[in-house]
Amino acid sequence: MKTQEQVIAALAKTPEDKLLLKQLFDRFAVSQERAYLTHTRFLDLRERTLCTQAVHQVGLTGQTVFWGGYPDAERVMALFLPDYLTAEDAVSSEQCPLVLLRAAKSPADTLTHRDYLGALMGLGIERAVVGDIILTSTGADLFVTEDMAGFIEMNFLRAGRKRILLERVPVDSFVLPEAEEEVGEGSVASLRLDSVAALAFRLSRAQMQERIAKGTVFLNHMQCLKPDADIAAGDQITARGLGRAKVLEFGGMSRKGRQFIRYTRSK
């Protein structure tokens, strides 16, 4: 098992990475020394990958939960568990250090994810205190850190110049709306990440390889820099700026040895 210093040296590519990992381990140390739940800010997919690798390499996987308010959340916190807490306890409404704010808009108004996020950033807060923003038929559900919830409730009154009303609701009342998904079918030469993602997002394989090399493609919520990573049925691929795709099933093989695939894609 590696030491924390060895893990930071091996994984950190930038000063920001180094600071993130140092804070990660500091938060864990506090949870053990003071015997209470501690946590990071919200992590994006790349940060989540980095932190997941770090806790695995130092053997803290069993004492860490990544949670963003619901099972398929994209932006999550790393929660560190003292000995008396289980993972189920940590993500319960009573223990979890995040808040669900429900924004209601006028039925006549049309607001986008960018409208909500832009208005929040206009308050002068950091992106890291806001988790996923989920559009609903009546407005949006927003996950925020507990320590910033009060400030946001008091000051977040408009989005996209349209008036909204905020209400704090129990986290376990969240229901993920059904996404508008497009079902697609096609064939690939091999079940590699670059091939399958190129098919799903309608890019050339070379274009997808560029995106993978830049670190903007994620496999099952984890950054993947390997274009030849194996893809299985049920895998989820996220490409920044393009959306999310899920492999539903494999079909037969063509006469030329190409594998047929059925998938969904959502923006």
Side-chain angles (χ1 to χ4, degrees):
M1 202 69 66
K2 295 181 179 178
T3 66
Q4 294 180 6
E5 291 74 18
Q6 288 172 330
V7 169
I8 292 174
L11 295 179
K13 306 299 183 187
T14 66
E16 291 76 18
D17 289 349
K18 186 174 181 180
L19 179 60
L20 172 65
L21 294 179
K22 188 176 184 307
Q23 291 173 338
L24 180 85
F25 292 134
D26 286 346
R27 291 284 81 204
F28 171 74
V30 170
S31 78
Q32 301 305 296
E33 291 168 6
R34 302 185 184 179
Y36 63 77
L37 180 73
T38 60
H39 60 90
T40 65
R41 56 186 172 82
F42 282 103
L43 308 169
D44 63 25
L45 287 174
R46 180 184 176 278
E47 293 168 333
R48 176 180 183 171
T49 301
L50 195 62
C51 292
T52 300
Q53 292 171 335
V55 298
H56 175 72
Q57 290 186 21
V58 296
L60 303 181
T61 304
Q63 295 158 285
T64 309
V65 177
F66 291 93
W67 183 247
Y70 63 104
D72 203 31
E74 186 166 299
R75 297 179 68 88
V76 297
M77 295 175 169
L79 310 180
F80 296 110
L81 315 179
D83 292 339
Y84 62 87
L85 273 186
T86 66
E88 291 74 19
D89 293 332
V91 302
S92 67
S93 295
E94 295 76 20
Q95 296 284 348
C96 194
L98 56 79
V99 170
L100 175 58
L101 298 178
R102 184 154 291 159
K105 65 176 183 65
S106 167
D109 294 335
T110 300
L111 293 173
T112 66
H113 184 280
R114 181 174 294 182
D115 291 326
Y116 288 104
L117 181 58
L120 283 166
M121 297 301 96
L123 300 178
I125 63 178
E126 295 182 1
R127 179 66 179 95
V129 304
V130 181
D132 284 3
I133 300 172
I134 308 297
L135 299 182
T136 67
S137 59
T138 57
D141 282 350
L142 309 94
F143 293 95
V144 302
T145 57
E146 189 174 37
D147 59 341
M148 288 300 297
F151 174 84
I152 293 172
E153 283 181 290
M154 291 178 58
N155 295 281
F156 188 38
L157 307 176
R158 292 180 179 275
R161 299 185 179 180
K162 305 296 184 181
R163 187 165 182 81
I164 58 171
L165 294 175
L166 274 188
E167 176 188 11
R168 188 182 297 215
V169 298
V171 173
D172 56 13
S173 70
F174 175 76
V175 176
L176 184 66
E178 283 192 26
E180 292 185 11
E181 294 183 333
E182 168 190 337
V183 178
E185 296 179 340
S187 66
V188 293
S190 62
L191 296 177
R192 293 166 43 118
L193 174 60
D194 55 358
S195 296
V196 176
L199 171 67
F201 296 110
R202 298 171 185 169
L203 295 177
S204 71
R205 188 167 164 184
Q207 288 173 318
M208 188 53 64
Q209 287 174 345
E210 270 187 53
R211 288 176 174 269
I212 293 170
K214 290 178 180 177
T216 61
V217 178
F218 304 85
L219 178 59
N220 297 325
H221 298 300
M222 298 287 285
Q223 185 183 51
C224 187
L225 300 174
K226 297 180 178 180
D228 61 348
D230 291 332
I231 298 299
D235 280 350
Q236 182 173 281
I237 303 169
T238 303
R240 191 174 294 159
L242 298 177
R244 182 181 295 181
K246 184 175 182 179
V247 178
L248 296 180
E249 60 185 355
F250 300 136
M253 301 288 287
S254 73
R255 291 181 180 178
K256 294 183 178 181
R258 294 178 64 85
Q259 174 73 61
F260 288 104
I261 295 178
R262 190 164 176 266
Y263 61 88
T264 60
R265 177 185 169 189
S266 58
K267 293 183 178 181

Tab-separated table of all heavy atoms in Angstrom, residues 7 17 40 67 112 122 124 138 143 153 236:
chain	number	residue	atom	x	y	z
A	7	VAL	N	1.207	8.780	-3.163
A	7	VAL	CA	0.034	8.872	-4.031
A	7	VAL	C	-0.085	10.275	-4.623
A	7	VAL	O	-0.344	10.438	-5.824
A	7	VAL	CB	-1.246	8.500	-3.251
A	7	VAL	CG1	-2.489	8.862	-4.060
A	7	VAL	CG2	-1.248	7.014	-2.930
A	17	ASP	N	-4.168	19.891	-8.557
A	17	ASP	CA	-4.344	18.477	-8.210
A	17	ASP	C	-3.713	18.181	-6.851
A	17	ASP	O	-4.295	17.476	-6.016
A	17	ASP	CB	-3.679	17.575	-9.257
A	17	ASP	CG	-4.413	17.552	-10.577
A	17	ASP	OD1	-5.546	18.067	-10.643
A	17	ASP	OD2	-3.842	17.012	-11.558
A	40	THR	N	-15.513	16.555	1.174
A	40	THR	CA	-14.925	17.524	0.265
A	40	THR	C	-16.025	18.431	-0.273
A	40	THR	O	-17.210	18.247	0.022
A	40	THR	CB	-14.262	16.821	-0.927
A	40	THR	OG1	-15.282	16.156	-1.701
A	40	THR	CG2	-13.235	15.796	-0.462
A	67	TRP	N	-20.857	10.760	-3.229
A	67	TRP	CA	-22.308	10.933	-3.240
A	67	TRP	C	-22.672	12.356	-3.657
A	67	TRP	O	-22.077	13.321	-3.192
A	67	TRP	CB	-22.873	10.644	-1.854
A	67	TRP	CG	-24.360	10.705	-1.736
A	67	TRP	CD1	-25.106	11.604	-1.027
A	67	TRP	CD2	-25.307	9.805	-2.335
A	67	TRP	NE1	-26.440	11.326	-1.157
A	67	TRP	CE2	-26.596	10.228	-1.959
A	67	TRP	CE3	-25.183	8.689	-3.162
A	67	TRP	CZ2	-27.752	9.574	-2.373
A	67	TRP	CZ3	-26.337	8.035	-3.581
A	67	TRP	CH2	-27.600	8.468	-3.182
A	112	THR	N	-32.848	27.467	-18.998
A	112	THR	CA	-31.922	26.389	-19.296
A	112	THR	C	-30.981	26.152	-18.115
A	112	THR	O	-30.923	26.943	-17.173
A	112	THR	CB	-31.080	26.724	-20.536
A	112	THR	OG1	-30.232	27.853	-20.225
A	112	THR	CG2	-31.968	27.081	-21.725
A	122	GLY	N	-23.175	34.259	-10.673
A	122	GLY	CA	-23.289	35.705	-10.542
A	122	GLY	C	-23.398	36.170	-9.099
A	122	GLY	O	-23.202	37.361	-8.806
A	124	GLY	N	-21.348	35.262	-6.943
A	124	GLY	CA	-19.979	35.307	-6.440
A	124	GLY	C	-19.551	34.065	-5.686
A	124	GLY	O	-18.524	34.079	-4.997
A	138	THR	N	-41.281	22.035	-13.734
A	138	THR	CA	-41.691	23.248	-13.020
A	138	THR	C	-40.533	24.186	-12.694
A	138	THR	O	-40.743	25.252	-12.127
A	138	THR	CB	-42.396	22.873	-11.700
A	138	THR	OG1	-41.512	22.067	-10.900
A	138	THR	CG2	-43.676	22.097	-11.976
A	143	PHE	N	-28.581	20.752	-6.100
A	143	PHE	CA	-27.881	20.242	-4.929
A	143	PHE	C	-26.756	21.214	-4.580
A	143	PHE	O	-25.954	21.591	-5.448
A	143	PHE	CB	-27.317	18.842	-5.204
A	143	PHE	CG	-28.383	17.805	-5.379
A	143	PHE	CD1	-28.844	17.468	-6.643
A	143	PHE	CD2	-28.950	17.185	-4.272
A	143	PHE	CE1	-29.848	16.518	-6.801
A	143	PHE	CE2	-29.955	16.233	-4.420
A	143	PHE	CZ	-30.401	15.900	-5.690
A	153	GLU	N	-30.361	30.545	-0.657
A	153	GLU	CA	-31.799	30.761	-0.457
A	153	GLU	C	-32.139	32.238	-0.375
A	153	GLU	O	-33.164	32.695	-0.899
A	153	GLU	CB	-32.253	30.060	0.817
A	153	GLU	CG	-32.406	28.557	0.694
A	153	GLU	CD	-32.877	27.939	2.003
A	153	GLU	OE1	-32.083	27.906	2.966
A	153	GLU	OE2	-34.039	27.506	2.064
A	236	GLN	N	-21.612	3.306	-19.389
A	236	GLN	CA	-22.046	4.662	-19.679
A	236	GLN	C	-20.840	5.501	-20.076
A	236	GLN	O	-19.816	5.485	-19.393
A	236	GLN	CB	-22.721	5.267	-18.437
A	236	GLN	CG	-23.267	6.662	-18.632
A	236	GLN	CD	-24.054	7.116	-17.431
A	236	GLN	OE1	-25.209	6.744	-17.250
A	236	GLN	NE2	-23.443	7.903	-16.569
